[in-house]
Every structure is written in C-alpha cells, then in structure tokens.
Amino acid sequence: PTDHREAYDANQVLARLVDRSLFWEILPQRGREMVVGVGRVNGLYAGFIANAQEPVPDPEHRGRVKPGGTLYREGIAKISAFSRACNDDGIPLVWLQDIAGFDIGAEAEAHGLLGYGSSLIYTNSTNQVPMFTVLLRKASGAGYYAMAGLPYAPVVQLATPLARLAVMEGRTLAIATYNTKLDDEFRIATADPAERASIEQGMAAVEARIESDMDPYLAASRRDVDEIVSP
C-alpha cells in the first residue's frame, strides 16, 4: 500500500511474504472481503488472514457490491473457521490488518453479526499457536480486536509507517460527542451562527486530536505496536 486512500490487491502483498510467491487460498468464493490461506515463510508453514480492499460482491443482494476492508457475516465465519483449523493443525497465524471495522446497521443485526463476531473473538482468545499481527494501513474499531490485535497477545505486532490505529476514528468520535447537536444526516442542527461556529470548532478539535493519536510512531512510543517496519 502506498497511500491512505488507494486500494490494492491483498494477494500482491501475500506474494511478497511467502516463499516463491506460492499461496494456497482457502474458500476464495466465500466471504470475499477476507483472504485466507497457507504459505511458507523460510520453509515453515503459516496461515495468513488479510483484508481485501476492493469492492466485493454482496452475497445477500445479487448484483450489488460492498466496500472492502470491512467484516461481514461470511467473512467472519470464514476467518473464524480458518483460525481454529490452523490452531488444531499447529500452524502459526499471520494477521494482515487493513480494516475499518464490522458491518453495521439493521441488516447486519438481523444477520446475527454480533454472534459471529463473538465466535471469532472467542476463537482467537483460546488459540494456542503463535499469532503475529501486522497493521498494514488501517486498524479501526472492533475489527482491530477481532483480527488478533494487541489485547489478544500476538507474539509480535508490527506496523507500517502508513498504519493508523484507533478504537474510533476522529470524525466518528466527533459525531458521537456532538450527537445531540446534529440532525439525522450528522449536520449541525442550529441556525445560530455563533453556536454553529462553536460546534464546528469543537468537532474539528476532537477530530484533530484523534487523528494525531492515530500516528504509528506515537502508537509505538506507547508500546501499542512492537516495531514499525517499511513495506
């Protein structure tokens, strides 16, 4: 990845990590927002789990697509099963994170996304094989935790200089902080120019503070990542 906004092919990243670029992808047609499979690193087998960044087909609505970098029901089920299978076979796991979080909304709730997410978190909490986490670019919200973030005790957690680590991103927290002052479209709901200016200033300050906290070097200084490595 070369930019905070640019999409890239997760398979190209995997090809540069595994021996001879040989990667056996598992269930490529299911949960396509996630790429899982097995490769060798210096001759040793490892399981890899990565977030796809390009738009992916919506399995619930034929012909529609969903944004990549987000956890949906099929993808959660796939990586949970793969994580457990690697643990049962004694294969170490490498988690390559570039995730905005879990899917949200009424449809996600109807699909039982919370239950699927709980299953994944339980799996990663009880695995016995070594797990390694690499923050490629974005590591946000509950997705960061579900994909074996630091609280789940990976052997090492690495970050690239592009990584942005946050439980909640700046714009999201600003909206949450000033929610009672916003309408349903998250626009400032006041006609008073002075009040509008005060709210805008407050939201901008919250967003700027969180954006600063997301800096990977600051995360490293707080030991939220073990080391920053160049792509």
Side-chain angles (χ1 to χ4, degrees), residues 12-78:
Q12 292 292 335
V13 177
L14 289 162
R16 285 153 178 79
L17 295 178
V18 298
D19 296 353
R20 299 172 61 194
S21 298
L22 297 175
F23 179 68
W24 176 34
E25 186 174 355
I26 309 296
L27 295 174
Q29 299 305 316
R30 304 301 298 268
R32 290 167 65 176
E33 75 274 14
M34 301 303 306
V35 178
V36 306
V38 177
R40 289 190 179 192
V41 179
N42 291 333
L44 301 177
Y45 281 112
F48 290 86
I49 300 173
N51 301 106
Q53 297 305 304
E54 66 276 4
V56 296
D58 185 343
E60 309 296 336
H61 304 283
R62 185 179 297 274
R64 297 186 190 177
V65 297
K66 291 183 174 183
T70 301
L71 284 170
Y72 304 105
R73 180 174 63 170
E74 271 199 355
I76 298 170
K78 180 167 80 170

Side-chain angles (χ1 to χ4, degrees), residues 171-195:
R171 176 64 179 169
T172 307
L173 183 57
I175 289 172
T177 304
Y178 288 87
N179 187 56
T180 59
K181 304 292 185 180
L182 309 178
D183 62 20
D184 291 340
E185 300 297 325
F186 307 123
R187 294 178 299 225
I188 298 173
T190 180
D192 183 347
E195 185 180 11

Side-chain angles (χ1 to χ4, degrees), residues 12-225:
Q12 292 292 335
V13 177
L14 289 162
R16 285 153 178 79
L17 295 178
V18 298
D19 296 353
R20 299 172 61 194
S21 298
L22 297 175
F23 179 68
W24 176 34
E25 186 174 355
I26 309 296
L27 295 174
Q29 299 305 316
R30 304 301 298 268
R32 290 167 65 176
E33 75 274 14
M34 301 303 306
V35 178
V36 306
V38 177
R40 289 190 179 192
V41 179
N42 291 333
L44 301 177
Y45 281 112
F48 290 86
I49 300 173
N51 301 106
Q53 297 305 304
E54 66 276 4
V56 296
D58 185 343
E60 309 296 336
H61 304 283
R62 185 179 297 274
R64 297 186 190 177
V65 297
K66 291 183 174 183
T70 301
L71 284 170
Y72 304 105
R73 180 174 63 170
E74 271 199 355
I76 298 170
K78 180 167 80 170
I79 63 177
S80 182
F82 180 73
S83 175
R84 181 60 77 199
C86 285
N87 182 72
D88 291 345
D89 288 339
I91 300 175
L93 282 160
V94 179
W95 298 79
L96 302 173
Q97 286 201 26
D98 192 344
I99 183 167
F102 281 81
D103 188 22
I104 58 173
E107 186 176 45
E109 291 185 15
H111 290 162
L113 210 69
L114 182 60
Y116 282 86
S118 298
S119 175
L120 173 59
I121 290 172
Y122 175 78
T123 295
N124 289 339
S125 299
T126 55
N127 276 352
Q128 298 298 309
V129 293
M131 297 198 297
F132 305 84
T133 302
V134 184
L135 311 182
L136 292 177
R137 188 167 56 172
K138 181 181 286 188
S140 297
Y144 163 68
Y145 295 102
M147 289 188 62
L150 194 62
Y152 292 87
V155 173
V156 65
Q157 178 162 293
L158 306 177
T160 72
L162 296 175
R164 310 290 287 171
L165 172 59
V167 174
M168 186 178 291
E169 295 195 26
R171 176 64 179 169
T172 307
L173 183 57
I175 289 172
T177 304
Y178 288 87
N179 187 56
T180 59
K181 304 292 185 180
L182 309 178
D183 62 20
D184 291 340
E185 300 297 325
F186 307 123
R187 294 178 299 225
I188 298 173
T190 180
D192 183 347
E195 185 180 11
R196 174 177 292 274
S198 175
I199 294 171
E200 286 177 345
Q201 183 178 8
M203 292 182 70
V206 170
E207 187 169 354
R209 177 172 60 83
I210 298 303
E211 289 297 320
S212 175
D213 286 346
M214 292 170 69
D215 180 84
Y217 294 93
L218 182 59
S221 73
R222 296 184 304 217
R223 298 185 180 180
D224 289 335
V225 297

